[in-house]
Amino acid sequence: MPSLQVLTDRHDPYVVITVLGDVDATTIGVLQEQVEIAQRISSHLLFDLAGMTFMDSAGIRVLLDAYHHARANQGTVAVCSPRPSPKKVMELVGLTGYIPVHASLTEALTS
């Protein structure tokens, strides 16, 4: 059983994708499916990572794919509330140079 739960909610213009648990090769399908659904609703995605406990390269790939999809469709991608470990992974691969990272959901929705 996957140790990942993904919830979506609409906060115009964003679809907020809340990630709870570990994102890795065994759970990435759950996240990818929800991202694809969210992309059909809006080209503006906001990933709330407050509940994400772990992310490997599979998660980075989904965020990067979402970023490229958004750019191609005049949209945006942002991240909020990442825990130290996933945030460090995003920094190490340079993703934070492309995708804005906000300290909280409220900050992300108001910026």
Side-chain angles (χ1 to χ4, degrees):
M1 172 178 277
S3 59
L4 180 68
Q5 185 176 13
V6 181
L7 309 170
T8 59
D9 192 20
R10 185 75 192 244
H11 289 274
D12 283 327
Y14 292 102
V15 172
V16 177
I17 301 169
T18 302
V19 183
L20 306 166
D22 295 346
V23 175
D24 60 26
T26 65
T27 62
I28 198 62
V30 175
L31 178 58
Q32 185 62 51
E33 180 180 339
Q34 291 303 310
V35 169
E36 290 170 4
I37 291 168
Q39 287 170 329
R40 290 193 290 264
I41 297 168
S42 176
S43 60
H44 302 283
L45 303 183
L46 174 57
F47 290 85
D48 183 350
L49 305 184
M52 178 192 286
T53 51
F54 175 81
M55 178 173 60
D56 68 4
S57 61
I60 293 295
R61 187 177 67 248
V62 168
L63 290 174
L64 193 56
D65 287 348
Y67 168 78
H68 288 297
H69 182 272
R71 284 197 44 143
N73 293 283
Q74 293 74 47
T76 58
V77 171
V79 169
C80 69
S81 310
R83 290 183 178 193
S85 177
K87 184 177 181 183
K88 183 73 168 174
V89 171
M90 290 187 299
E91 290 170 347
L92 286 172
V93 299
L95 198 60
T96 55
Y98 299 96
I99 297 176
V101 178
H102 301 278
S104 70
L105 179 60
T106 302
E107 177 186 302
L109 291 172
T110 59
S111 65

